[in-house]
Amino acid sequence: MFRKNTSKRNTYSENFSKKHVLKNKNYLTIAIVFFILILASYLTYHNFSSKRIIQSDIDNTTMIESDNSPTVQDINSLSKVESENNLINDNRGVPVLYYHSVSESANNEVIITPDKLRTELKYIKDEGYVTLTLSELKSYLLDNSPIPEKSIVITFDDGYMDNYYNAFPILKDLNMKATIFCITGELDGSYYLSKDAIVEMFNYGIDIQSHTVTHPNLDKMTYDKQLIELIQSKKTLESITGKKVDSIAYPFGNFNNDSVKAAKEAGYTLGFTTKRGLSDREDDPLKLDRIYISSKYDMNTFIEVLNKTKK
């Protein structure tokens, strides 16, 4: 029986299969290379875009920071503030102003209207003065501690309730420190300060100090009676604020040697008179000068008194 020879066909099939496989491999290689090229292009583009975005963010940030940077005017203003607040430690004296009542019904010279008080205190602030507490004044006078070049002390005598209603808001608005010398005999909140008002102002930073119990003429009293006035008022205020009271303003400015001796024995370190002058290191610390501010002063007089009062 005749049989066909299939060897050539098989060889052809094998060669065809090999060529087909090789061709497919070439296609796959080309596809892989093409994919790699596309991926590389994408990564290059993405990296370039990211850099542009980052640079844009940096530029925007720089622009924002530039917009918020201080101008020449700002720098000059800061330099002015720093200059005005330069610390000094020479004995040039500190003005200690004293007021009394603050009320719309200003019917005598010891009652000043809130508007007038605000105008005077704002002038002080605008002129670059820095208000001191009595602790800061004491450190300057007794311990040679430095203070701002333009320092001033604001005080109120008697401790009227209107100091809380009318003076306290102004002091807060202007961010100024002050001291109130309180008569302690009737702290009921009707005419004189209430204990709650004292606590609120004290917690804010208003200094609370003594003006005796009954506001007597100390120079007409015996030493023992003076001592009682000074000790009792001190203890009353200390029980309210929880802080040591170490300053006294003599009622009416009237005092004698016994007053100074009693003040020292009672534990006071600063005593304030009504004699016009600046408080300086040459003064007896229990006989410090102050500057009375009458409600009858116009603004020109106020400025003159402030600027021309000397040691």
Side-chain angles (χ1 to χ4, degrees):
M1 185 178 195
F2 179 76
R3 297 181 61 184
K4 291 185 177 180
N5 187 355
T6 59
S7 60
K8 291 182 177 181
R9 181 179 296 178
N10 291 339
T11 300
Y12 175 78
S13 297
E14 290 174 359
N15 290 337
F16 177 81
S17 296
K18 289 179 180 179
K19 289 179 179 180
H20 185 71
V21 170
L22 181 60
K23 186 176 182 179
N24 288 341
K25 287 183 177 179
N26 290 337
Y27 285 151
L28 181 60
T29 300
I30 291 171
I32 291 172
V33 171
F34 183 73
F35 175 77
I36 291 173
L37 289 174
I38 292 175
L39 181 60
S41 298
Y42 170 77
L43 291 175
T44 301
Y45 174 78
H46 179 73
N47 186 46
F48 176 75
S49 298
S50 297
K51 287 181 178 180
R52 289 185 64 185
I53 292 171
I54 292 171
Q55 185 61 45
S56 176
D57 288 342
I58 292 173
D59 292 341
N60 289 337
T61 301
T62 302
M63 184 179 296
I64 292 171
E65 291 175 350
S66 177
D67 289 342
N68 289 333
S69 61
T71 63
V72 173
Q73 184 177 359
D74 293 333
I75 292 172
N76 288 340
S77 296
L78 289 173
S79 298
K80 182 180 179 183
V81 171
E82 291 174 356
S83 175
E84 290 171 345
N85 291 343
N86 284 339
L87 296 180
I88 56 96
N89 203 13
D90 55 4
N91 188 25
R92 64 183 61 187
V94 178
V96 180
L97 309 189
Y98 72 100
Y99 295 89
H100 291 83
S101 178
V102 184
S103 174
E104 293 291 352
S105 58
N107 53 12
N108 67 59
E109 65 174 318
V110 298
I111 304 175
I112 189 170
T113 65
D115 285 344
K116 192 166 188 178
L117 176 66
R118 180 183 290 274
T119 299
E120 292 178 357
L121 295 185
K122 188 174 186 304
Y123 171 83
I124 289 170
K125 187 177 183 69
D126 291 345
E127 286 296 301
Y129 282 95
V130 178
T131 49
L132 302 182
T133 64
L134 290 192
S135 294
E136 291 167 332
L137 178 66
K138 180 173 70 173
S139 295
Y140 170 70
L141 296 176
L142 303 184
D143 302 325
N144 293 327
S145 298
I147 56 174
E149 185 174 6
K150 297 186 73 173
S151 291
I152 195 168
V153 178
I154 308 297
T155 68
F156 295 84
D157 282 8
D158 301 334
Y160 299 106
M161 192 64 192
D162 58 38
N163 289 178
Y164 172 75
Y165 290 129
N166 299 323
F168 184 39
I170 296 171
L171 293 166
K172 288 193 293 185
D173 286 346
L174 297 176
N175 194 28
M176 299 178 79
K177 302 170 185 176
T179 297
I180 300 178
F181 291 106
C182 297
I183 300 170
T184 61
E186 298 180 29
L187 297 177
D188 57 5
S190 56
Y191 190 62
Y192 294 109
L193 287 167
S194 67
K195 294 179 181 179
D196 289 341
I198 288 175
V199 170
E200 182 180 343
M201 290 191 292
F202 173 79
N203 288 338
Y204 176 80
I206 302 299
D207 204 359
I208 304 297
Q209 299 292 336
S210 173
H211 201 41
T212 72
V213 178
T214 62
H215 201 269
N217 285 297
L218 291 174
D219 59 340
K220 299 185 183 303
M221 302 174 68
T222 64
Y223 172 80
D224 289 339
K225 288 185 177 180
Q226 289 190 58
L227 184 61
I228 291 172
E229 283 278 346
L230 300 180
I231 289 177
Q232 288 185 349
S233 62
K234 185 177 188 296
K235 285 184 176 180
T236 296
L237 294 174
E238 288 176 343
S239 69
I240 295 172
T241 65
K243 181 185 175 183
K244 182 181 179 181
V245 170
D246 58 9
S247 298
I248 175 76
Y250 304 114
F252 309 110
N254 295 333
F255 68 97
N256 56 20
N257 290 336
D258 279 347
S259 308
V260 175
K261 181 181 176 183
K264 187 173 183 179
E265 183 174 340
Y268 294 97
T269 53
L270 298 183
F272 292 89
T273 72
T274 57
K275 179 184 175 184
R276 179 177 290 184
L278 304 181
S279 290
D280 61 74
R281 291 168 177 168
E282 294 176 2
D283 291 337
D284 182 331
L286 289 171
K287 299 179 184 179
L288 295 173
D289 299 333
R290 290 193 290 172
I291 302 173
Y292 171 58
I293 303 299
S294 168
S295 66
K296 302 301 182 183
Y297 292 167
D298 60 21
M299 199 59 195
N300 289 333
T301 303
F302 172 79
I303 293 171
E304 183 179 4
V305 168
L306 176 62
N307 293 332
K308 292 189 176 181
T309 299
K310 303 301 179 183
K311 291 172 55 177

